[in-house]
Amino acid sequence: MTTRREFLAKFGTAAAALTVLPGFAFAADSPVATHAISVLPPLPYAPDALEPFIDAQTMSLHHDKHHQAYVTNLVKAVGSDPKLSAMSVEELVSNLDAVPADMRTAVRNQGGGHANHSLFWPSLKKNNGAVPKAELAAAMDKAFSNYAGFQAQFTKAATGVFGSGWAWLVLEPAGTLKVMALANQDSPLSQGLKPLFGIDVWEHAYYLKYQNRRPEYIQAFYNVINWDFVTERYLDLRKA
Ligand code: MN
């Protein structure tokens, strides 16, 4: 386990820089933007932009109430610690072992919720049936045989989450792609993996329109993956 002192030594420079430019190591609209713990990033489109696949009321509540609650509760948990407060939420959830024990569960849950949703919004856009292209398509072919192979694994992972959680497409340290499911608001970042995008299968993400029909929501979701964003994120994270 990393000690708090080692943690701050590791991130002291970043934390100092982030004090000047709170939370944003990259421009806010960068596909690899990081996020201040205290700021709810704006929804980058109108709430009805994903209709009919995800309805406007769900998007408004999900962003304005649910995501805001993760931000509010994270600030409550770590707001009294100026060094932690100055870090991005992505740095925090990437280093849970180094967060003081009395804050760790809150950072895992509320910080995970903040980080996951901050990636969720920009990774969505009506795609008119588009599928991955170029380098991302090649990486998917390597990992899953083809796009249909990816879909099969992703659908299975999302369908199989018991209770609340997410299915993710992640970039592993070796540079390969993998599909995985994680419970609650656990972030792939906490396992040293880089999330490219995920599907939120908490009921709050789909229940108003789809009620108990999670499989229908998952099928609809393929129409709102912003492949341009995900491809740019893949290329940037692969370089990082
Ligand atoms: Mn959610």
Side-chain angles (χ1 to χ4, degrees):
M1 176 157 326
T2 314
T3 66
R4 181 179 162 86
R5 196 174 59 185
E6 286 165 349
F7 179 58
L8 292 174
K10 183 176 174 189
F11 289 108
T13 308
L18 291 167
T19 306
V20 180
L21 190 67
F24 290 101
F26 301 89
D29 60 352
S30 159
V32 291
T34 54
H35 299 86
I37 68 156
S38 61
V39 179
L40 177 68
L43 197 62
Y45 37 70
D48 66 356
L50 307 178
E51 293 266 13
F53 305 108
I54 303 179
D55 60 287
Q57 189 184 12
T58 295
M59 291 299 288
S60 293
L61 288 168
H62 196 176
H63 175 270
D64 301 355
K65 305 297 183 188
H66 290 276
H67 189 170
Q68 179 65 65
Y70 296 120
V71 172
T72 301
N73 290 327
L74 180 61
V75 170
K76 271 187 204 155
V78 306
S80 61
D81 186 317
K83 287 226 167 75
L84 294 181
S85 297
M87 291 170 51
S88 73
V89 66
E90 288 82 5
E91 286 174 310
L92 277 176
V93 298
S94 295
N95 296 277
L96 286 181
D97 283 354
V99 174
D102 61 344
M103 297 178 183
R104 197 173 302 140
T105 300
V107 170
R108 179 176 175 178
N109 292 334
Q110 313 297 343
H114 182 13
N116 292 342
H117 289 85
S118 295
L119 174 58
F120 190 59
W121 314 121
S123 69
L124 303 182
K125 184 185 182 180
K126 268 202 280 195
N127 62 29
N128 301 308
V131 295
K133 285 182 288 219
E135 291 93 336
L136 180 61
M140 281 190 156
D141 289 350
K142 200 171 165 192
F144 311 111
S145 299
N146 49 38
Y147 180 65
F150 157 74
Q151 277 187 304
Q153 280 198 31
F154 194 74
T155 295
K156 187 178 175 190
T159 307
V161 172
F162 182 73
S164 298
W166 295 66
W168 295 98
L169 178 66
V170 301
L171 184 62
E172 299 179 287
T176 47
L177 297 180
K178 184 172 86 166
V179 164
M180 67 190 308
L182 289 173
N184 303 314
Q185 294 296 353
D186 285 354
S187 166
L189 292 169
S190 303
Q191 301 186 16
L193 302 165
K194 297 171 180 172
L196 295 183
F197 74 96
I199 179 172
D200 185 344
V201 294
W202 284 58
E203 285 187 343
H204 69 225
Y206 65 85
Y207 204 85
L208 290 178
K209 182 178 175 72
Y210 295 97
Q211 289 87 46
N212 61 318
R213 304 185 304 278
R214 187 194 286 182
E216 277 182 36
Y217 161 66
I218 295 167
Q219 280 312 303
F221 187 79
Y222 292 108
N223 295 289
V224 295
I225 301 170
N226 183 345
W227 288 118
D228 292 334
F229 173 89
V230 174
T231 301
E232 280 184 52
R233 184 169 166 85
Y234 167 70
L235 293 173
D236 284 355
L237 290 178
R238 204 178 55 169
K239 275 184 286 184

